[in-house]
Amino acid sequence: MNSFDRILLIGTGLLVLLLLGPVLTIPLHIPINYNEGWNAGFDTRAMQPSTAPLYPGADSFVFNNYPPLGFYIVGAAGLVLHDMIVGGRVVALASLFCCAGLLGLCVRRLGGSARAGCAAGLLLLLLTATFYRSYVAMDDPQWLAHATMLAGLALLLRAGIPRRQKAVPLKTGRIILAALLMTAGGFIKHNLVALPLATTLWLAWLDRRLALTWILAAAAGACAGVGLTGALFGSVAYSDILLHPRMFQASRLSLAIGGLAPLIPMAIALGLLLRRRFIGDGSVLAALFAGVSLPIGIAERLGDGVNYNAHFETVIAVCLGFGLVLTPLFAPPLRIRRQPIRPAALLVFASLPILGAMPWHLPAAWRDVVDRRARQAAWQPMIARLAASQGPVGCEMPSVCIWANKPFIVDSFNLTQSILSGRSPEPFRRMVARPGYAMFEYSPKPANRRGSNPGADPLIGSFAEIYAPVATGPDGAILLAPTPAATSAGQP
């Protein structure tokens, strides 16, 4: 076993340790992120359309700005596992591993070696398990959409892509199927545009006739998907998805830049090596992918509530390019200033942020394993109290209401965004004042709501003097209920 293989083996061992906590947490009722309950609420609506519409329209207190396909895939898994959130976590974890495998396969089909493909996939998993940890086994369609698009790219590369130096027989059927598969990824999450756009530009650079086939197939798939969405859900689906309110803040630029910091060593290696050796047509695809995804991810991150998943396309693109530049280093070794560059040394250099973070992340990973039962037990009293309450309940952490078997009737984050964008808060205030909620779970986290002062919050401020805390839970969660004065006032 050479040094490169030893590094891959050590990296795999670290990955197992980092993933143990999220994997063991999958069946437990521990809220991980606001997105989990939000997605589970719409997964339930997709599987049980009689309960509530998947696209409720602008007058609702819940908002759906995602295309429909992911809700049906995850909803089906939730039905099988009898828990929508658990089903979403399983799909997300499987999709993450599929992304790593498909990334390695794409490196291989673009001319890279098997070892380089393994390194690219492993780096993707390690980066996610350290710096983007909350998206490991979290109920969210992000990785499902990436996996679907990467499957389309892998199928496209298998179809016999022409090289600029020589002609290769094309398999049109596979090209069409690949275009449809990548388009399907857009109907899981519609803001993932970097890979489809970069692939289209790359094909146009290689062969305009091939690019035309690809574009026509993708356009036909997109038109069919848009038409089917309209036929099933009406025009309200278009307005819910395309006109979704969102506040943008330039001050969030530091978050966008910080989310990309772990990629700096790989980016340095890519720039250094690509200047000295052209490694084939695949490097053009990787460069286009990274060049398109970088500004798009930064722009998306400026939106309130947008997490570091906005950078995942850039992460995938950089890992793809790194896998391609590794291959020429094996034989003969590339030299810079007469010094050979060893693939093992380059892999260690690319992994420096991961290695540097291990003293913090490994203890955190161990705490995830040890404390998971205690964290679930800490949430159970609040979930049980919500489940036993009579009448409608609302949750700022929607997964708490989902596990209490209560319907998803208020989307606190997006309702706040809507009010900040100009919607009148009066309908919600009237609902609160009736009093319309038997209980309301309030999670004072900046990630869930704007600001930390309840009186200044456009949503939680509506509860002042009408509701009072009746219980507290983990992570600062508070359970609000109408005061005796509000209840005795005869408000229905």
Side-chain angles (χ1 to χ4, degrees):
M1 181 182 292
N2 60 34
S3 57
F4 188 86
D5 294 336
R6 291 192 187 95
I7 294 171
L8 290 180
L9 187 60
I10 292 171
T12 302
L14 289 175
L15 181 65
V16 170
L17 294 175
L18 291 168
L19 292 182
L20 195 58
V23 171
L24 292 176
T25 303
I26 284 176
L28 304 184
H29 289 181
I30 301 171
I32 295 175
N33 185 283
Y34 182 89
N35 291 3
E36 287 205 306
W38 185 93
N39 282 288
F42 287 112
D43 294 337
T44 302
R45 292 184 178 205
M47 294 294 100
Q48 301 172 8
S50 60
T51 58
L54 187 60
Y55 293 96
D59 296 332
S60 173
F61 292 155
V62 297
F63 302 78
N64 185 1
N65 62 321
Y66 276 25
L69 183 57
F71 298 120
Y72 288 95
I73 296 173
V74 176
L79 287 181
V80 171
L81 296 173
H82 307 290
D83 188 313
M84 289 296 173
I85 293 177
V86 172
R89 290 174 176 177
V90 170
V91 170
L93 183 65
S95 298
L96 174 59
F97 278 104
C98 285
C99 284
L102 289 165
L103 177 63
L105 183 60
C106 289
V107 169
R108 250 340 240 129
R109 289 179 175 173
L110 285 168
S113 67
R115 285 176 175 171
C118 290
L122 181 60
L123 278 173
L124 175 64
L125 292 173
L126 284 171
L127 284 167
T128 305
T130 50
F131 299 103
Y132 315 116
R133 184 173 179 79
S134 68
Y135 272 80
V136 176
M138 183 184 80
D139 179 14
D140 188 278
Q142 180 82 32
W143 287 115
L144 176 62
H146 285 306
T148 306
M149 289 191 172
L150 284 171
L153 178 61
L155 184 60
L156 173 68
L157 298 176
R158 190 184 176 190
I161 300 302
R163 310 296 183 211
R164 291 177 68 84
Q165 296 84 3
K166 61 180 180 178
V168 176
L170 302 179
K171 296 180 180 179
T172 305
R174 284 182 181 169
I175 294 170
I176 293 173
L177 184 57
L180 294 177
L181 198 55
M182 198 170 288
T183 303
F187 282 92
I188 297 173
K189 195 158 188 184
H190 60 300
N191 64 338
L192 302 186
V193 297
L195 182 55
L197 180 56
T199 304
T200 302
L201 294 173
W202 181 63
L203 292 177
W205 176 75
L206 286 174
D207 187 303
R208 291 183 181 179
R209 181 176 62 88
L210 173 59
L212 181 61
T213 302
W214 170 266
I215 291 171
L216 290 176
C223 289
V226 169
L228 184 60
T229 298
L232 291 175
F233 309 108
S235 60
V236 67
Y238 305 143
S239 59
D240 278 6
I241 295 170
L242 300 176
L243 303 180
H244 180 69
R246 176 80 67 181
M247 299 295 294
F248 287 83
Q249 302 180 71
S251 60
R252 291 176 57 85
L253 183 61
S254 59
L255 291 174
I257 302 303
L260 294 165
L263 305 181
I264 290 176
M266 275 197 287
I268 292 173
L270 286 172
L272 185 67
L273 295 177
L274 288 177
R275 286 182 60 189
R276 286 165 170 78
R277 176 174 292 188
F278 183 75
I279 58 172
D281 298 336
S283 63
V284 177
L285 173 60
L288 286 170
F289 189 12
V292 173
S293 62
L294 180 62
I296 290 176
I298 292 174
E300 289 179 355
R301 192 74 194 274
L302 300 182
D304 275 358
V306 179
N307 210 331
Y308 41 57
N309 59 309
H311 304 307
F312 284 178
E313 285 190 297
T314 305
V315 174
I316 294 170
V318 172
C319 289
L320 175 67
F322 186 78
L324 293 174
V325 300
L326 270 179
T327 298
L329 304 184
F330 285 98
L334 181 64
R335 296 175 180 271
I336 294 182
R337 295 182 180 179
R338 299 183 181 181
Q339 297 297 319
I341 300 179
R342 305 295 182 186
L346 190 66
L347 183 57
V348 170
F349 178 71
S351 304
L352 284 179
I354 298 171
L355 297 174
M358 283 302 111
W360 290 270
H361 287 284
L362 284 178
W366 177 248
R367 287 194 298 270
D368 284 348
V369 174
V370 173
D371 298 343
R372 68 190 192 282
R373 297 289 181 186
R375 285 185 289 139
Q376 176 176 243
W379 277 103
Q380 290 317 297
M382 183 169 284
I383 294 173
R385 192 156 183 174
L386 284 166
S389 64
Q390 301 296 317
V393 301
C395 295
E396 277 211 317
M397 185 64 75
S399 54
V400 178
C401 278
I402 297 295
W403 283 320
N405 293 316
K406 296 294 186 178
F408 180 43
I409 58 173
V410 57
D411 176 0
S412 61
F413 173 78
N414 286 307
L415 180 57
T416 299
Q417 290 288 299
S418 179
I419 293 172
L420 292 172
S421 300
R423 173 176 171 168
S424 172
E426 289 306 315
F428 182 74
R429 288 176 180 170
R430 288 195 296 269
M431 175 69 176
V432 170
R434 283 204 291 264
Y437 295 102
M439 286 188 177
F440 198 95
E441 181 269 329
Y442 158 54
S443 295
K445 288 186 175 182
N448 295 339
R449 37 185 295 276
R450 176 180 278 248
S452 57
N453 181 1
D457 186 273
L459 204 68
I460 298 302
S462 303
F463 291 87
E465 299 180 2
I466 303 174
Y467 291 68
V470 295
T472 58
D475 302 327
I478 300 168
L479 202 57
L480 303 174
T483 62
T487 303
S488 62
Q491 297 166 320

